[in-house]
Amino acid sequence: MPRAKSDKDRKIFVLDTSVILYAHNSIMNFAEHDVVIPITVLEELDQFKKGNDTKNFEAREFIRLLDKLSRDQMIHEWTPLNGKTKGNFKVLMNPDNKINANVIFGEEKNDHKILNAALYLKENEKNRKVILVSKDINLRLKAKSLEILAEDYETGKIKNITELENTGKYVLEDVDPDHINTLYEVGFIEAKSVLGTRKRKANAYYILKSNKNSVLTYYNSDENVLERVDKKLAYNIKPKNAEQTFALHAITNPNIRLVSIQGVAGTGKTLLALAGALEQRRDYKQIYLARPIVPLSNKDIGYLPGDIKSKLNPYMEPLWDNLKFIQNQYKETDKEYQKITEMVNQEKLVIQPLAYIRGRSLSNIFFIVDEAQNLTPHEIKTIISRAGENTKIVFTGDVHQIDTPYLDSQSNGMSYLIDRVKDHPLYAHIKLEKGERSELANLANELL
């Protein structure tokens, strides 16, 4: 991008702490425009620099980046960002303003100090557009109430989430009945004869319909054929609809090493992933089932009473519920029932918070990550990058049910994953649409 012609054309972006914790290199993503970091942001980052969570990593990396960029210059003065097409940055000390956000909102807090930094720049840089960038919706609203332009951090944000969700499954009407008969008789058919000149995506699933019959199929890009997909049991769990059938096929297909399953509550995401993993237990050394901990009211779990097991039980209970449901498909005397108990006792099947697994080497592991919509893009990348030989990773979640304050349906890690790796031969994505938990649960999803 060419550099703007004058200072007037170059905007000033004021970054909030939430942006830095989301992406430490965000300071480099504002083209030729200038970036201001309020000193309050550095003070907040200092509190985040210790720890093993992703936010701690981002804080440390940003501090290192700032140190590298400033070299021997004073950071309270404009300092060039690397590259001819980049602007400058500086750290703004707490200014004295005519308009004080602490007074206006009746409380002295860091968010208001950041607003004061934006107010100061707006007053003293009258010829330039000043924009506060924050992933905190409430802070953006407060900024707008003070007539400060405010935006979300848009880099990496998915534009059309609805279209993205539906990638992976397609319905074709008016298919030649003879083609469908061939699929039932032979089990596969040349893709070109059915799909024609349509663009073919690796590991896509198709529902083929004619005026006489229909069939579920899977596009095998290696062989360039459509293969028939049948409903199959996985540890006595049977798919109840076409999408669940496709999801279980992807989970149990050894050629697909990365799967994402999107769906609202009750569609069977975690249940299918766990049942498919148990069905393949002989192919992997261990099964890991993990989920991120989203603390209540954004407080650390240390605030909860009891020992570490007591603190974590409320977060892990939904995973145990799915395991118990699968186990209860059998009698207590059945070997399948006893096998699950044995796997848990011998730690062949491990249910843990994601933080306990992050950083470990994942070789010969079937790894299920539940509630993946509450992960950042960096966390998703970190998890996948740990995969060793013979490891399969299944992410499940609902991109519209975000429980963390600085993510949304367009910026969370699961949406990022679907967007970046769609059409890769190692990856498949399925959206589960119909709730199968109960009619009562469907009532809640549809009417409430």
Side-chain angles (χ1 to χ4, degrees), residues 261-435:
I261 305 174
Q262 150 74 15
V264 299
T267 49
K269 308 179 294 294
T270 311
L271 181 67
L272 288 170
L274 184 52
L278 289 168
E279 188 68 23
Q280 301 170 86
R281 64 193 180 279
R282 296 179 186 87
D283 300 328
Y284 299 92
K285 183 176 69 176
Q286 281 180 299
I287 298 170
Y288 282 164
L289 184 54
R291 56 171 13 200
I293 291 178
V294 181
L296 188 65
S297 300
N298 299 323
K299 288 187 176 181
D300 188 83
I301 61 169
Y303 284 81
L304 297 173
D307 59 16
I308 189 66
K309 186 175 181 181
S310 301
K311 294 173 191 290
L312 295 175
N313 270 345
Y315 297 101
M316 299 301 111
E317 201 61 41
L319 305 184
W320 288 110
D321 287 344
N322 279 283
L323 186 60
K324 289 171 190 172
F325 182 86
I326 294 172
Q327 194 172 30
N328 289 332
Q329 302 302 303
Y330 302 92
K331 297 177 182 177
E332 288 186 26
T333 54
D334 290 345
K335 64 178 182 179
E336 291 88 354
Y337 185 102
Q338 295 168 358
K339 185 64 181 177
I340 290 179
T341 302
E342 180 186 317
M343 289 177 71
V344 172
N345 291 338
Q346 295 180 356
E347 294 193 345
K348 297 290 185 183
L349 192 159
V350 182
I351 297 180
Q352 285 188 336
L354 190 58
Y356 281 40
I357 293 172
R358 190 185 293 120
R360 295 170 65 175
S361 180
L362 303 174
S363 294
N364 204 21
I365 301 289
F366 193 106
F367 191 17
I368 302 167
V369 181
D370 195 30
E371 303 289 352
Q373 78 278 2
N374 288 321
L375 298 172
T376 67
H378 180 78
E379 286 174 312
I380 291 279
K381 180 180 178 180
T382 300
I383 292 166
I384 298 172
S385 66
R386 304 302 298 177
E389 287 297 317
N390 193 38
T391 285
K392 181 160 185 166
I393 304 177
V394 178
F395 292 98
T396 68
D398 178 8
V399 297
H400 299 291
Q401 186 63 50
I402 309 292
D403 300 312
T404 53
Y406 302 139
L407 297 177
D408 58 31
S409 62
Q410 295 170 284
S411 63
N412 71 87
M414 190 166 179
S415 296
Y416 176 83
L417 170 71
I418 300 167
D419 182 57
R420 290 302 177 95
V421 298
K422 61 182 184 291
D423 199 26
H424 193 285
L426 291 179
Y427 172 73
H429 169 72
I430 293 296
K431 180 185 178 185
L432 301 182
E433 298 173 8
K434 186 179 179 184

Side-chain angles (χ1 to χ4, degrees), residues 133-372:
V133 183
S134 175
K135 298 201 72 63
D136 184 337
I137 297 174
N138 196 49
L139 183 58
R140 297 203 301 267
L141 290 173
K142 282 185 173 182
K144 290 173 182 178
S145 74
L146 297 174
E147 298 185 353
I148 301 169
L149 294 173
E151 296 177 358
D152 191 1
Y153 178 65
E154 299 285 346
T155 301
K157 212 167 184 185
I158 311 306
K159 300 302 179 187
N160 192 336
I161 188 62
T162 303
E163 180 183 319
L164 191 63
E165 278 182 281
N166 294 321
T167 187
K169 188 204 82 172
Y170 306 91
V171 180
L172 299 185
E173 307 279 356
D174 300 323
V175 175
D176 188 333
D178 291 339
H179 292 331
I180 295 178
N181 289 335
T182 300
L183 281 158
Y184 277 113
E185 292 167 7
V186 183
F188 65 91
I189 192 171
E190 185 183 354
K192 186 178 180 180
S193 62
V194 178
L195 302 179
T197 58
R198 291 183 181 90
K199 185 180 179 182
R200 299 161 210 170
K201 295 183 178 179
N203 303 322
Y205 290 89
Y206 292 87
I207 300 176
L208 306 182
K209 295 181 179 181
S210 73
N211 56 357
K212 295 180 180 179
N213 49 11
S214 63
V215 67
L216 306 181
T217 63
Y218 156 74
Y219 175 57
N220 183 333
S221 57
D222 289 337
E223 305 290 335
N224 202 22
V225 296
L226 289 174
E227 299 175 357
R228 190 179 77 246
V229 177
D230 297 319
K231 287 187 178 181
K232 292 182 179 179
L233 288 175
Y235 225 82
N236 221 24
I237 297 297
K238 185 178 182 180
K240 293 187 176 182
N241 55 51
E243 290 77 25
Q244 285 195 355
T245 303
F246 292 151
L248 194 56
H249 179 275
I251 291 164
T252 56
N253 187 335
N255 296 320
I256 300 173
R257 311 306 300 178
L258 180 63
V259 179
S260 61
I261 305 174
Q262 150 74 15
V264 299
T267 49
K269 308 179 294 294
T270 311
L271 181 67
L272 288 170
L274 184 52
L278 289 168
E279 188 68 23
Q280 301 170 86
R281 64 193 180 279
R282 296 179 186 87
D283 300 328
Y284 299 92
K285 183 176 69 176
Q286 281 180 299
I287 298 170
Y288 282 164
L289 184 54
R291 56 171 13 200
I293 291 178
V294 181
L296 188 65
S297 300
N298 299 323
K299 288 187 176 181
D300 188 83
I301 61 169
Y303 284 81
L304 297 173
D307 59 16
I308 189 66
K309 186 175 181 181
S310 301
K311 294 173 191 290
L312 295 175
N313 270 345
Y315 297 101
M316 299 301 111
E317 201 61 41
L319 305 184
W320 288 110
D321 287 344
N322 279 283
L323 186 60
K324 289 171 190 172
F325 182 86
I326 294 172
Q327 194 172 30
N328 289 332
Q329 302 302 303
Y330 302 92
K331 297 177 182 177
E332 288 186 26
T333 54
D334 290 345
K335 64 178 182 179
E336 291 88 354
Y337 185 102
Q338 295 168 358
K339 185 64 181 177
I340 290 179
T341 302
E342 180 186 317
M343 289 177 71
V344 172
N345 291 338
Q346 295 180 356
E347 294 193 345
K348 297 290 185 183
L349 192 159
V350 182
I351 297 180
Q352 285 188 336
L354 190 58
Y356 281 40
I357 293 172
R358 190 185 293 120
R360 295 170 65 175
S361 180
L362 303 174
S363 294
N364 204 21
I365 301 289
F366 193 106
F367 191 17
I368 302 167
V369 181
D370 195 30
E371 303 289 352

